[in-house]
Amino acid sequence: MGRPLSESANPDGVDVIVLPGACSSGLTWSRVPGIEKMHVLPLPGFDTVEAMAEAVEKQLPATDRPRIVVGASLGAMVGLQLLQTVRFDAFIALATGFGIHVDTQVLDRIRESPEDVLMRTARSSLANRDAGDLLEIAVEDLRSRGRDVLISHLTALGSYDPKVPDELPETVVVWGSGDRSVPLEDHVSLARTMKGVLAPVDGAGHLPFLERPDDVARIISREVRRLCREN
């Protein structure tokens, strides 16, 4: 279930808790540089966001240190659900809206598809579909979890109806300008709902942390530095 969070780690800093997207083991986050105390927690293979959030919450330590949740796509929805019960000092949501529509025909095609479904899913997530080295990482990331988990995760994503948290953290919504899965207007809607800001990343699709890791690292680092100043 990812790198563990320990009570003794980072006693004076900021915990950055990354919740990857559907069917991700977190491998696509491996290129993001320079973020200390970044804990990648792959989502359990449940078919509801609520069940995933409940399981993830049990992995979080009780701490007085500032915490940032960084959620990608489905991970952002789990982050929103966590915000119903857990306080975070900042929320960074990537490749997502305030809820994500999943066409049932997409799920049917995945269930009926041959083995290349993971390859096609990974390719469609990249702004540059011919980026061979990045495509290899994206495919391996999905293969590490498998098609059954992909189906469960997309089922959860399509059925989730998020609610606005009572307490809104500082929020940044990251939009890859080449994202074919979630349109710009959905990212804008999330930013407005959370009273946050939109951070465009050029040359990235649905996986900006893989395609433009330096840009994503800068966005996260800005929030870390802000929290360090305030605390």
Side-chain angles (χ1 to χ4, degrees):
M1 286 301 300
R3 285 175 266 171
L5 297 171
S6 68
E7 282 300 309
S8 59
N10 187 24
D12 301 313
V14 176
D15 281 323
V16 178
I17 300 160
V18 174
L19 305 178
C23 200
S24 173
S25 65
L27 181 61
T28 47
W29 281 87
S30 62
R31 299 179 74 240
V32 177
I35 307 297
E36 297 183 6
K37 292 87 178 180
M38 185 171 82
H39 313 278
V40 181
L41 302 180
L43 303 176
F46 302 144
D47 60 3
T48 71
V49 167
E50 291 83 357
M52 291 182 214
E54 183 177 353
V56 169
E57 183 174 353
K58 292 176 182 178
Q59 299 180 66
L60 304 177
T63 178
D64 292 329
R65 294 190 303 274
R67 294 189 289 193
I68 298 174
V69 163
V70 181
S73 194
L74 174 60
M77 296 301 96
V78 174
L80 283 174
Q81 182 63 31
L82 278 172
L83 283 168
Q84 300 296 325
T85 56
V86 181
R87 181 185 179 277
F88 292 103
D89 300 274
F91 179 46
I92 300 175
L94 307 95
T96 189
F98 192 67
I100 300 178
H101 173 71
V102 177
D103 194 323
T104 56
Q105 293 182 354
V106 171
L107 281 170
D108 290 341
R109 285 197 296 270
I110 292 173
R111 292 188 182 97
E112 298 166 1
S113 287
E115 286 304 310
D116 71 344
V117 63
L118 298 182
M119 170 66 77
R120 290 189 286 108
T121 299
R123 190 183 298 276
S124 68
S125 297
L126 299 174
N128 178 6
R129 301 185 187 197
D130 297 322
D133 55 337
L134 301 185
L135 180 60
E136 184 177 340
I137 294 172
V139 172
E140 181 59 30
D141 190 38
L142 295 175
R143 283 179 178 160
S144 66
R145 302 296 301 276
R147 188 173 65 170
D148 289 346
V149 171
L150 178 61
I151 292 171
S152 293
H153 280 181
L154 292 182
T155 299
L157 187 59
S159 63
Y160 183 58
D161 183 18
K163 297 177 176 58
V164 180
D166 292 334
E167 183 176 350
L168 297 178
E170 293 284 338
T171 298
V172 180
V173 179
V174 180
W175 167 62
S177 62
D179 193 336
R180 302 180 185 88
S181 300
V182 182
L184 170 60
E185 52 265 31
D186 286 10
H187 291 78
V188 172
S189 174
L190 176 59
R192 288 175 173 167
T193 299
M194 298 295 290
K195 295 180 170 50
V197 297
L198 183 72
V201 176
D202 290 334
H206 199 60
L207 305 175
F209 37 89
L210 176 63
E211 295 179 276
R212 292 291 182 269
D214 290 343
D215 292 340
V216 170
R218 279 191 288 271
I219 292 167
I220 297 173
S221 295
R222 280 198 298 267
E223 289 303 303
V224 169
R225 289 194 298 271
R226 179 183 64 81
L227 289 174
C228 286
R229 288 193 302 270
E230 293 177 357
N231 292 272

